[in-house]
Amino acid sequence: MILGIGTDLCNIERIERTLERFGDRFRNRVFTEIEQAKAERRADTPGTYAKRWAAKEACSKALGTGLRMGIAWKDMAVSNLRTGQPVMHVTGWAADRLAAMTPPGHEAIIHVTLTDDHPWAQAFVVIEARPLESHGPVTSRPA
């Protein structure tokens, strides 16, 4: 079942100007060390930051809070699998909110997709609740 959906559109040039103006102060307030390392290795550093900004905004919307109620920017972080697929991680209040909205007997899965077409970066987040598999004792029925 779907627990939440969020999307955000971010202007890459706006993020670029913010990086130029505030530098590390902005980076360290919003992005984790892993996110910063990824962005700084990329040719399109502002675009990489913009996609992650959009993902955090989209995630906060999918959690049903927006960036309020105690959620910090770094409570939501994007990393990538070896395949390149982005993965959203939540900690702190965002993780608490996710746990509270997940029905008993289910696990929450956060799906995230990122894209950009200069000057825009976009993210979609879908939070899914999947039933936990029963790992109870195996019983057999007579044939």
Side-chain angles (χ1 to χ4, degrees):
M1 90 181 67
I2 303 299
L3 298 179
I5 299 172
T7 185
D8 192 65
L9 184 65
C10 178
N11 185 287
I12 296 168
E13 293 168 354
R14 180 176 146 245
I15 295 296
E16 186 171 30
R17 287 190 304 270
T18 302
L19 287 164
E20 289 169 359
R21 183 171 178 194
F22 297 105
D24 286 342
R25 193 169 117 207
F26 171 66
R27 276 189 279 279
N28 294 331
R29 179 174 172 247
V30 176
F31 302 101
T32 65
E33 288 181 17
I34 292 170
E35 291 173 311
Q36 289 181 47
K38 173 78 171 184
E40 297 300 326
R41 286 192 309 265
R42 303 293 300 266
D44 182 15
T45 299
T48 302
Y49 279 122
K51 285 185 279 191
R52 277 146 181 77
W53 173 281
K56 291 167 187 272
E57 286 274 6
C59 185
S60 71
K61 292 170 185 175
L63 288 168
T65 63
L67 284 160
R68 57 183 178 86
M69 297 178 59
I71 291 180
W73 286 103
K74 288 183 174 181
D75 285 348
M76 300 164 289
V78 178
S79 66
N80 296 84
L81 300 177
R82 286 180 179 249
T83 61
Q85 176 185 348
V87 179
M88 178 66 69
H89 307 275
V90 292
T91 58
W93 201 92
D96 294 344
R97 171 68 181 150
L98 182 62
M101 63 191 287
T102 304
H106 290 74
E107 64 177 335
I109 310 294
I110 302 175
H111 304 276
V112 60
T113 186
L114 309 172
T115 191
D116 64 294
D117 186 6
H118 198 85
W120 301 106
Q122 186 173 30
F124 286 96
V125 171
V126 176
I127 302 175
E128 172 190 12
R130 289 187 190 160
L132 294 170
E133 292 186 30
S134 174
H135 296 290
V138 177
T139 59
S140 59
R141 295 186 186 163

